[in-house]
Amino acid sequence: MELLPFFTEKHRELESTVRQFAERDVAPCAVEDEHEEARARELIRLMASAGLLRYVVPEAYGGLSPRLDVRSLCLIRDGLAYVSGLADTMFAMQGLGSYPITLAGSEALKRRYLPPVARGEAIAAFALTEPEAGSDVSAIQATANRMDDRYELNGIKTFISNAGLADFYVVFAKTDPGQGHRGLSAFVVEASTPGFVLDEKLALIASHPIGRVKFERCHIPRDHLLGEEGEGFKIAMQTLDVFRSTVAAAAVGMARRALDEALAYSQRRVQFGRPLAEFQGIQFKLAEMATELEAARLLVYRAAWKKDRGAARVTRESSMAKFYATEAAQRIIDQAVQIHGGQGVVRGSVVERLYREIRALRIYEGTSEIQRIVIARELLKGC
Ligand code: COS
């Protein structure tokens, strides 16, 4: 893969480390896994021993750079998603589930939770979505009532990646239900807390541990609050600002794989006496796929680079990257399936797996429709 000017020598090295790791340790098990949970835990262990999880926390807590380097997160997701959606998810969740602590946790919370995340000894989760609050975050109904030295948490969270696997959850709940988004707060909740219930595991169209969890009179220490009461909405948005670029990077990894598979297949497959790649109709498809892929990569790494250069907010850039890259990847993968013909829909073929894996990326961490809204609002504000 050609490296872009946004990268330093360290990024070049990381790109090749991830490629080797993905080929050696992840690819052999990439196709449909009946033992998803065991494989997910195994992937965490492998990523930790390869040092990849150190990229999700700051240097002071076992990481590799003073602040999270978003280009590195993107390169890792891009490289993992090229071979396995599950590996990508497990890496991403260690970041998404711990970043609110990096962003707003007290020194004690950072020391307690971040080093085990980097060592793969603790699995993290991000519990925002509820049955009645998906795109509309301020509609969250879970409550956290302050009682002396603790909070009592009650509510249901659904579509929570790592539900049942995670050792701790960053949970968003209302401390002041009358205040809309300003009444939302964020907490660290350990899975061992009495009142925490794994309600149901959900089976998605592609491998991804996810489910619904409940908090029933769950008492959490007061010092597990992240930031101040009422800061939950901003913590969630600032976390999504960083991680939406990385979702886009995962989409780029899947699309790169689809294009590679399509290029190889179209040169191998002979119809009407010549390889498919000699037909102009196929060449047009390949050209469109490659162009969209390049445009997506540029948006992703531009957004990441801008954040790494210290921009306070990259809301518009990360939403553009997520919106464009996930939609483009869906089109690229669909064309790769089309080029493969019948082989493309055979269960277990690479492009068939990608076709299922890409779909959720246009939905999670903000649907494409929400990204359009965010981009338009930023434009209208003059950002
Ligand atoms: N960074 C910092 N602050 C932000 C922000 C960001 N990216 N986006 C919004 N805010 C602030 C606003 O500035 C506003 O601040 P004030 O209270 O000072 O006015 C506040 O947050 C509320 O913002 P807004 O009015 O835009 O909120 P809305 O309720 O209209 O919601 C959307 C905005 C739709 C963009 C938000 O709810 C969203 O991103 N939804 C998708 C959620 C999602 O991704 N879910 C997936 C779950 S994770 S798998």
Side-chain angles (χ1 to χ4, degrees), residues 96 126 128-129 134-138 159 181-182 233-234 237-238 240-241 244 313 315 363-367 370-371 373-374 377 381:
L96 186 71
F126 183 80
L128 185 70
T129 301
S135 295
D136 186 2
V137 174
S138 60
F159 292 117
H181 71 265
R182 293 200 179 90
F233 192 92
K234 285 199 178 157
M237 292 301 131
Q238 286 168 355
L240 292 170
D241 271 2
R244 281 176 178 158
R313 264 180 82 161
T315 306
I363 298 171
Y364 72 62
E365 288 187 43
T367 60
I370 289 293
Q371 306 312 326
I373 289 170
V374 172
R377 282 186 185 179
K381 277 193 294 187

Side-chain angles (χ1 to χ4, degrees), residues 105-185:
S106 64
E107 186 58 26
L109 288 178
K110 288 179 184 166
R111 286 197 185 286
R112 177 161 178 177
Y113 292 102
L114 299 181
V117 164
R119 292 195 297 263
E121 291 162 7
I123 296 183
F126 183 80
L128 185 70
T129 301
E130 297 186 358
E132 304 304 327
S135 295
D136 186 2
V137 174
S138 60
I140 279 176
Q141 290 169 8
T143 54
N145 293 322
R146 181 135 45 111
M147 311 166 88
D148 304 325
D149 59 342
R150 61 214 147 94
Y151 287 90
E152 183 183 283
L153 186 60
N154 285 287
I156 301 174
K157 296 284 173 183
T158 193
F159 292 117
I160 306 306
S161 300
N162 283 346
L165 239 87
D167 295 285
F168 68 86
Y169 297 73
V170 168
V171 181
F172 296 84
K174 289 267 170 77
T175 38
D176 191 348
Q179 288 295 312
H181 71 265
R182 293 200 179 90
L184 202 60
S185 304

Side-chain angles (χ1 to χ4, degrees), residues 236-253:
M237 292 301 131
Q238 286 168 355
T239 301
L240 292 170
D241 271 2
V242 170
F243 282 87
R244 281 176 178 158
S245 308
T246 78
V247 179
V252 163

Side-chain angles (χ1 to χ4, degrees), residues 88-103:
D88 166 57
T89 300
M90 296 315 293
F91 174 79
M93 288 314 304
Q94 289 297 88
L96 186 71
S98 68
Y99 190 68
I101 303 176
T102 297
L103 201 61

Side-chain angles (χ1 to χ4, degrees), residues 71-99:
R71 283 166 295 175
S72 297
L73 297 177
C74 288
L75 275 171
I76 295 171
R77 288 198 69 174
D78 187 337
L80 293 174
Y82 187 87
V83 298
S84 159
L86 180 60
D88 166 57
T89 300
M90 296 315 293
F91 174 79
M93 288 314 304
Q94 289 297 88
L96 186 71
S98 68
Y99 190 68

